[in-house]
Amino acid sequence: MTPRRTKRVLDALERRYGRPRPTRRLDPLSELVLTILSQNTSDTNRDRAFEDLRARFRTWDEVADAPRPAIERAIRKGGLARLKSGVIRDVLRRVRAEIGRMDLEHLRRLPMEEGRRWLLGFRGVGAKTAACVLLFSCDHPAFPVDTHVHRIARRLGWIPKTASAGEAHLLLEASIPPRRRLAAHVNLITLGRELCRARHPACPECPLRRICRHAQSGRLRNSPYIP
Ligand code: SF4
C-alpha cells in the first residue's frame, strides 16, 4: 500500500473512532504475562485468568516456584491453561535467572529492536506478544497484529493474502508511521469487532469501503457482502 493510501485508511479510522490512548498501563512483566494469557481467548476471559492468577499467588516469584498444575488451575478461565501455565512459569524463571529480579523495566530503555529480539527468545512468545509488551508498557512504537488486524489488512490489500502473521508485522510496521501505530492498532481491532467481522463484513457501513480492495471487488460483482 502506498503511503498516501495508508494515510487515507488511518485518517478514516480516526475520523470514526478518534485517536485512542492506551487503556491499560501495566509494568512490562505483568503485560507480558497478560498477553500470554490473551492468546486464543477473549479479553474478558484473559482478564479473569489474570485476576485469578494474581489473587492465588502474591508475587511473580511465587508463580515461578509453583508446581505447574497449580498455575494451570489458577488460569483455567483463560483457556489453554496447560500450555499457558508452562509458558508463564518458564518465562518467569528465565527473567529471574537473566535479570536477577522479577522486573522487565530495562525494556523501556533498550532500543525497540533489541527488546523485541530478547522477548522473541522466549518459548511461547511470538511477534504479537512482543509487540504488545513494547507498545503498551514500554512506550515503543511497535505494531501488534492480532487476528482482526491481520484479516482487515489482507482485505484492504495492505498485505498479500498469503502473508503470515510474522510477515504482516514487518509489512505493517514498515508502512504505518510510528506516532500513529497505537491508534491504528486499537482502531483496527474496533473495526474488526464492529464491522469487518470474520464472517459477513458490513461493508456498506464501513468507513474504508471506498479504499478497500475486498469491498471494491464485491461492488464490481454487484454484491456488497463478501463472506
Ligand atoms: S470495506 Fe468491508 S472488507 Fe473492507 S475493511 Fe470495511 S468491512 Fe472490512
Side-chain angles (χ1 to χ4, degrees):
M1 195 180 293
T2 62
R4 192 153 165 248
R5 224 168 135 237
T6 298
K7 183 174 181 310
R8 281 181 71 197
V9 168
L10 302 181
D11 288 349
L13 288 171
E14 288 185 15
R15 271 196 301 278
R16 181 163 186 127
Y17 299 121
R19 204 169 237 231
R21 300 191 158 274
T23 51
R24 58 182 199 255
R25 193 78 202 171
L26 295 172
D27 67 274
L29 184 56
S30 300
E31 181 70 35
L32 177 56
V33 174
L34 182 79
T35 313
I36 291 167
L37 287 171
S38 77
Q39 291 163 5
N40 293 92
T41 195
S42 66
D43 288 358
T44 305
N45 289 341
R46 171 203 68 190
D47 290 343
R48 283 185 187 142
F50 188 74
E51 281 165 22
D52 288 350
L53 183 67
R54 298 315 306 264
R56 168 70 182 78
F57 302 100
R58 282 174 306 162
T59 65
W60 292 128
D61 278 300
E62 280 191 13
V63 180
D65 296 331
R68 195 201 50 73
I71 306 170
E72 182 180 341
R73 281 194 296 279
I75 65 171
R76 71 178 186 282
K77 288 178 191 161
L80 299 176
R82 185 179 175 83
L83 177 74
K84 291 176 185 175
S85 58
V87 169
I88 289 169
R89 193 177 67 166
D90 288 354
V91 162
L92 292 172
R93 287 180 175 180
R94 194 169 146 196
V95 166
R96 187 168 59 188
E98 286 194 22
I99 309 295
R101 58 187 185 282
M102 287 300 193
D103 178 348
L104 290 182
E105 292 295 326
H106 72 291
L107 290 177
R108 295 185 204 266
R109 297 183 296 276
L110 277 185
M112 182 168 82
E113 291 311 322
E114 217 176 301
R116 193 192 323 256
R117 269 198 304 279
W118 190 78
L119 286 166
L120 290 175
F122 288 92
R123 179 181 75 85
V125 174
K128 187 196 94 170
T129 301
C132 282
V133 173
L134 294 167
L135 178 69
F136 290 118
S137 64
C138 300
D139 293 324
H140 286 305
F143 185 74
V145 178
D146 77 340
T147 52
H148 294 296
V149 176
H150 197 182
R151 179 176 68 252
I152 297 167
R154 280 186 292 169
R155 284 175 173 170
L156 287 171
W158 212 338
I159 57 173
K161 278 196 162 57
T162 53
S164 67
E167 289 163 343
H169 272 91
L170 294 176
L171 292 168
L172 292 172
E173 212 165 85
S175 71
I176 299 173
R179 65 185 172 79
R180 303 195 74 175
R181 287 178 192 159
L182 175 71
H185 169 79
V186 175
N187 285 343
L188 283 166
I189 289 177
T190 306
L191 182 78
R193 288 178 177 152
E194 186 186 274
L195 298 173
C196 194
R197 300 175 291 265
R199 286 163 177 258
H200 307 301
C203 301
E205 298 161 47
C206 179
L208 306 181
R209 65 189 179 281
R210 294 188 201 294
I211 321 167
C212 176
R213 193 171 289 169
H214 194 86
Q216 291 300 313
S217 65
R219 189 178 59 77
L220 290 175
R221 292 200 308 273
N222 211 20
S223 166
Y225 290 104
I226 303 146

